[in-house]
């Protein structure tokens, strides 16, 4: 990593570069932390699931021993190294392991809250485990509460609880509803869901040199390769023409089309848009309905808090 960072600094002198990575912290030490803090524009996401009993249920060394003690020792080293560094951040990503309940969310939040005073812009993002990544014995417990992360985030936001959980997800949902297209007359215009222009906002290069639209996309047609650049004709075919042809029948009749948050992530195969791309649309529509309702509750009951929405931009 140091080699890559120094190479980027040396090679790209006319641009501001920002660096970011995710770590489980097990190999970090004072020397590494000091170097990372000296780089500037460095954004580190640490994978910590919560207190020891929560974290060690899934995160263990090869010998089965939990990693929490070592991780938290190293997290403190990192926080200490970054506490006075400007333009850099240290944040936490916490994977919610079962049970999926409000109590569990509170437990995780209370554990991390103390770090808010130790480091600037600290926040925790809680995410669900990737499909298939949990041990089988957990499955029954995952069925308890649906959509708990989103509901907990919005509830805390609405009631202004003291949390360290990243509010950005809530603002993004509100932003999408606030900026939906409203016309005096019904319009036939169908937007391209929430898809980016591939390669325009960002690109992601894998270790073999293949280029993709972003690091979140998973399986997807490549945009090109570092040796020959981006192939615009293939990009146009795979990401615009074919995507559009296979989506229009579902999307043109969908009431949520102007607020749809769906993009290419998890909807592509290595060749094209997946046949299963629209299977979960009803779930998305329910989420959009709940976002609409949440937005109007905020507008009704707390318009002052919502004012900030005119100063932010996510696109
Ligand atoms: S998350 Fe979706 S919209 Fe954002 S860059 Fe990746 S593919 Fe594009
Ligand atoms: S929810 Fe599905 S059908 Fe509706 S606009 Fe989004 S992708 Fe299209």
């Amino acid at each position: 990593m140091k080699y890559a960072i120094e190479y980027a600094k040396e090679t790209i002198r006319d641009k501001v570069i920002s660096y970011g990575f995710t770590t489980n912290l097990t190999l970090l030490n004072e020397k590494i932390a000091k170097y990372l803090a000296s780089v500037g524009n460095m954004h580190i996401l640490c994978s910590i699931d919560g207190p020891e009993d929560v974290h060690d249920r899934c995160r263990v060394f090869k010998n089965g021993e939990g990693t929490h003690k070592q991780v938290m020792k190293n997290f403190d080293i990192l926080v200490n190294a970054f506490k006075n560094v400007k333009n850099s951040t240290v944040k936490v990503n916490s994977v919610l392991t079962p049970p999926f309940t409000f109590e569990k969310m509170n437990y995780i939040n209370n554990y991390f809250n103390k770090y808010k005073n130790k480091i600037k812009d600290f926040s925790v993002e809680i995410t669900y485990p990737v499909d298939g990544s949990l041990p089988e014995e957990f499955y029954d417990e995952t069925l308890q509460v649906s959509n708990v992360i989103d509901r907990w985030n919005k509830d805390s936001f609405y009631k202004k609880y003291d949390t360290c959980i990243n509010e950005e997800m809530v603002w993004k949902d509100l932003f999408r509803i606030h900026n939906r297209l409203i016309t005096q007359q019904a319009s036939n215009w169908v937007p391209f869901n929430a898809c980016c222009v591939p390669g325009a906002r960002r690109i992601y290069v894998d270790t073999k040199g293949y280029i993709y639209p972003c690091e979140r996309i998973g399986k997807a047609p490549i945009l090109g390769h570092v040796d020959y650049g981006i192939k615009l004709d293939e990009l146009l075919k795979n990401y615009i023409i074919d995507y559009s042809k296979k989506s229009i029948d579902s999307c043109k009749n969908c009431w949520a089309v102007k607020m749809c948050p769906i993009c290419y992530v998890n909807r592509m195969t290595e060749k094209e848009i997946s046949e299963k791309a629209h299977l979960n649309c009803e779930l998305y529509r329910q989420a959009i309905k709940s976002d609409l309702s949440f937005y109007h509750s905020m507008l009704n009951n707390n318009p002052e808090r919502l004012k900030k929405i005119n100063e932010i931009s996510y696109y």
Side-chain angles (χ1 to χ4, degrees):
M1 283 173 68
K2 189 175 177 185
Y3 176 69
I5 292 167
E6 294 304 320
Y7 176 80
K9 276 187 174 176
E10 189 62 35
T11 320
I12 310 167
R13 288 170 179 268
D14 58 337
K15 299 249 190 314
V16 178
I17 311 174
S18 73
Y19 308 86
F21 67 98
T22 304
T23 170
N24 65 18
L25 289 165
T26 49
L27 296 178
L28 191 107
N29 58 33
E30 299 260 5
K31 192 176 160 199
I32 297 174
K34 213 169 148 194
Y35 169 72
L36 294 171
S38 74
V39 172
N41 259 327
M42 173 62 75
H43 304 282
I44 304 179
L45 193 60
C46 305
S47 303
I48 313 173
D49 291 348
E52 188 167 358
D53 56 323
V54 173
H55 181 95
D56 283 351
R57 260 191 108 182
C58 286
R59 297 192 185 263
V60 293
F61 289 112
K62 208 173 169 186
N63 64 6
E65 209 179 291
T67 62
H68 193 265
K69 279 197 179 65
Q70 171 130 7
V71 164
M72 291 317 292
K73 183 177 132 254
N74 292 346
F75 185 61
D76 285 336
I77 291 175
L78 196 65
V79 166
N80 207 29
F82 274 77
K83 67 180 179 216
N84 296 319
V85 178
K86 289 183 186 145
N87 299 332
S88 292
T89 53
V90 172
K91 298 187 177 189
V92 164
N93 180 65
S94 201
V95 177
L96 187 67
T97 50
F100 294 167
T101 59
F102 265 43
E103 290 72 30
K104 183 82 176 278
M105 296 288 291
N106 285 331
Y107 189 45
I108 296 169
N109 177 61
N110 294 343
Y111 179 71
F112 286 115
N113 241 358
K114 57 181 178 278
Y115 285 98
K116 276 201 313 196
N117 300 327
K118 292 191 180 176
I119 186 159
K120 199 168 65 68
D121 296 331
F122 175 74
S123 68
V124 180
E125 182 160 346
I126 303 191
T127 53
Y128 290 108
V130 173
D131 276 354
S133 66
L134 281 178
E136 260 178 38
E137 65 261 28
F138 285 22
Y139 283 170
D140 288 351
E141 291 177 81
T142 61
L143 305 173
Q144 295 184 31
V145 183
S146 67
N147 216 6
V148 69
I149 298 179
D150 188 56
R151 291 196 300 114
W152 188 92
N153 281 344
K154 290 194 171 113
D155 195 52
S156 313
F157 185 93
Y158 190 74
K159 292 175 182 159
K160 283 202 193 165
Y161 289 149
D162 181 25
T163 76
C164 56
I165 306 295
N166 193 344
E167 285 188 351
E168 195 171 307
M169 297 313 290
V170 179
W171 280 114
K172 276 187 180 167
D173 287 341
L174 289 170
F175 182 84
R176 187 165 31 79
I177 302 294
H178 183 73
N179 287 292
R180 71 197 185 280
L181 181 77
I182 301 175
T183 51
Q184 294 298 319
Q185 291 178 337
S187 135
N188 282 335
W189 178 69
V190 178
F192 219 65
N193 304 149
C195 296
C196 58
V197 177
R201 185 186 296 170
R202 64 201 302 165
I203 55 170
Y204 167 66
V205 183
D206 74 6
T207 50
K208 293 184 180 131
Y210 290 109
I211 302 171
Y212 296 88
C214 78
E215 75 289 354
R216 293 185 51 217
I217 198 160
K219 277 189 192 154
I222 56 165
L223 302 182
H225 191 273
V226 287
D227 289 340
Y228 53 75
I230 290 180
K231 288 200 167 174
L232 283 178
D233 48 345
E234 284 181 27
L235 183 157
L236 193 66
K237 178 181 177 308
N238 295 327
Y239 282 92
I240 311 291
I241 299 171
D242 288 357
Y243 185 92
S244 184
K245 269 190 206 153
K246 289 195 180 167
S247 300
I248 192 74
D249 284 346
S250 306
C251 297
K252 75 178 179 195
N253 295 316
C254 174
W255 64 261
V257 69
K258 292 181 179 107
M259 294 166 282
C260 177
I262 286 172
C263 74
Y264 299 114
V265 169
N266 294 332
R267 308 184 85 216
M268 305 296 275
T269 66
E270 275 145 9
K271 289 193 179 140
E272 58 191 356
I273 177 170
S274 159
E275 294 296 331
K276 297 179 185 158
H278 292 93
L279 274 187
N280 289 328
C281 286
E282 191 44 43
L283 282 179
Y284 279 106
R285 278 191 284 269
Q286 279 171 28
I288 295 167
K289 202 167 161 187
S290 133
D291 289 344
L292 255 177
S293 154
F294 178 63
Y295 172 81
H296 284 283
S297 304
M298 289 294 297
L299 205 59
N300 235 1
N301 302 324
N302 201 343
E304 278 305 305
R305 182 118 195 254
L306 210 54
K307 271 187 180 163
K308 181 184 155 190
I309 208 159
N310 293 315
E311 292 154 28
I312 52 182
S313 167
Y314 289 113
Y315 294 108

